[in-house]
Amino acid sequence: MTWQPQLLPNDHPPVSSGSIGVMLVNLGTPDAPDPGSVKRYLKQFLSDRRVIEIPPIAWQPILRGIILNTRPQKSAAAYAKVWTDRGSPLADITASQADALAEKWGASEASGRENGPNVIVDYAMRYGSPSIEQRLNELTAKGCDRILIAPMYPQYCAATTATVFDEVARVMAGLRWQPALRFVPPYHDDAVYLDALADDLTRQIGALAFRPEVMLLSFHGMPMRTLEKGDPYHCHCHKTARLLRERLAERPEFAGVRFETTFQSRFGPAQWLEPATDDTLIAEGEKGTKRLVVAAPGFAADCVETLEELALEGRDEFLEAGGEQYAVLDCLNVSDSGVEMLEALIGRELSGWV
């Protein structure tokens, strides 16, 4: 018996290819500012072994028995203070960043791009939705056989950057047709990023009604053991702060301003990177600082940590300690400087594809 090839039926959908995908990835957010949604989000987030480096046999009873029964209520209240009619600020801003990049590269089916490959820009959340798995499947279904993953973390940390790699690899393991992948590297000391920060912070300082005495550069905290295990995050944060201070010190808007580097968002009893932002705000107020601003250069987009923890809780801490004027400056978000920075960083990594 002679073997005969099997022909596909006429109604078989054609396989698309030839497009390029760009996927911005940020940390994540609950679907709504209520305890149930926050509990689902925290369960996924705090079950990641990159985030919590405690053996699951010891950690999971604590997570399920204590944390998930107490923390969602408090966290939901914090999210409710910053939630908008467009949903989570983090998701909304990240989506807007993707839209801004899409305009540059004509990145949609409706773009009608005639010269060069079609570039499709989208975004995902590492935890919550839209998920990395959902977006990767959508991009490959649209014919993206080359995909650039852009973790939106300037400073590398295993608990943020590396877990994006982990999840992409997990999803890729289930794909028959594997797209070529590239990842945007950490950009903590990239001149494009530092210049964008300096320009945007200068613009915002110029718009304030007061001249600050002190500027805190507040980064998200991590347990001290991450530094002890060799994670470069602490060093990346301090290098960003040093290089940014050098740029700002040259500008008249920052004449006489004292800069301090701090770490926020402590959680649990373990020792965290220091000095802590909340402790520093109180100490500054108590020692007579009257005018203070906070910038969060490690965040690519404003979120509950900047809009609630820094802007609301931080303000109360500083004013109650004796401070008088306080402001939290916006992250780069979709400012002109921020979008131009993303275009430059991502355009560089697309070299040879576009």
Side-chain angles (χ1 to χ4, degrees):
M1 181 176 179
T2 303
W3 175 83
Q4 296 291 332
Q6 299 297 307
L7 300 178
L8 294 174
N10 292 332
D11 61 351
H12 188 277
V15 176
S16 299
S17 65
S19 294
I20 294 170
V22 175
M23 184 168 68
L24 311 183
V25 182
N26 217 314
L27 188 73
T29 177
D31 294 325
D34 59 68
S37 298
V38 173
K39 183 175 182 178
R40 289 191 298 273
Y41 168 71
L42 289 178
K43 182 179 180 181
Q44 182 187 17
F45 174 45
L46 297 177
S47 293
D48 190 327
R49 295 191 65 181
R50 292 273 197 185
V51 175
I52 304 295
E53 297 183 281
I54 299 173
I57 193 171
W59 171 246
Q60 284 296 322
I62 298 172
L63 175 63
R64 296 168 185 265
I66 301 175
I67 294 173
L68 293 181
N69 290 316
T70 57
R71 190 171 177 85
Q73 192 77 31
K74 179 180 178 181
S75 294
Y79 277 105
K81 294 177 185 178
V82 302
W83 213 259
T84 74
D85 56 2
R86 298 180 303 279
S88 158
L90 178 64
D92 178 47
I93 293 169
T94 308
S96 296
Q97 291 170 328
D99 288 343
L101 293 175
E103 291 182 7
K104 174 178 175 59
W105 284 295
S108 70
E109 292 97 334
S111 65
R113 186 181 178 91
E114 297 178 356
N115 299 317
N118 185 45
V119 180
I120 302 173
V121 185
D122 215 328
Y123 77 99
M125 295 291 151
R126 174 59 186 90
Y127 311 101
S129 60
S131 68
I132 289 175
E133 181 171 18
Q134 174 190 338
R135 291 303 201 220
L136 277 177
N137 286 331
E138 290 173 353
L139 288 172
T140 55
K142 292 175 180 177
C144 295
D145 49 24
R146 289 163 290 176
I147 299 176
L148 175 65
I149 309 294
M152 301 294 278
Y153 312 118
Q155 296 78 26
Y156 177 93
C157 183
T160 54
T161 316
T163 193
V164 173
F165 284 72
D166 293 345
E167 180 64 5
V168 169
R170 185 193 71 80
V171 175
M172 290 281 286
L175 297 181
R176 177 169 295 278
W177 189 356
Q178 299 275 333
L181 291 180
R182 291 179 180 176
F183 287 82
V184 173
Y187 49 95
H188 64 287
D189 59 354
D190 195 299
V192 171
Y193 159 65
L194 294 163
D195 289 343
L197 280 175
D199 290 345
D200 197 59
L201 294 177
T202 300
R203 174 186 63 80
Q204 293 187 65
I205 286 289
L208 291 178
F210 66 94
R211 180 66 63 90
E213 302 166 67
V214 176
M215 170 180 272
L216 298 192
L217 301 177
S218 181
F219 296 86
H220 199 288
M222 290 298 297
M224 181 64 73
R225 64 177 174 270
T226 63
L227 173 60
E228 296 166 351
K229 289 184 175 183
D231 198 297
Y233 178 73
H234 179 262
C235 298
H236 281 194
C237 292
H238 275 285
K239 189 171 186 180
T240 294
R242 175 175 60 81
L243 294 174
L244 179 59
R245 287 197 306 268
E246 291 173 359
R247 282 166 166 77
L248 296 179
E250 299 174 349
R251 306 188 179 205
E253 292 85 352
F254 293 89
V257 174
R258 173 166 53 87
F259 297 91
E260 301 289 344
T261 301
T262 61
F263 296 89
Q264 64 184 85
S265 308
R266 288 180 294 181
F267 172 70
Q271 183 180 2
W272 281 56
L273 298 177
E274 295 181 339
T277 299
D278 53 357
D279 289 347
T280 303
L281 288 172
I282 294 169
E284 288 291 340
E286 290 178 342
K287 71 182 182 182
T289 300
K290 299 301 181 184
R291 304 180 306 279
L292 183 146
V293 296
V294 183
F299 295 85
D302 276 306
C303 53
V304 70
E305 286 86 358
T306 62
L307 299 172
E308 196 276 337
E309 181 184 352
L310 290 180
L312 300 180
E313 291 184 18
R315 178 184 180 84
D316 290 344
E317 289 164 344
F318 180 65
L319 297 184
E320 289 173 7
E324 295 179 356
Q325 293 176 298
Y326 178 84
V328 174
L329 306 181
D330 295 339
C331 297
L332 284 172
N333 296 337
V334 287
S335 64
D336 291 344
S337 297
V339 172
E340 290 171 4
M341 178 205 73
L342 290 175
E343 289 177 352
L345 291 177
I346 290 173
R348 182 193 304 164
E349 300 305 319
L350 288 175
S351 178
W353 283 2
V354 175

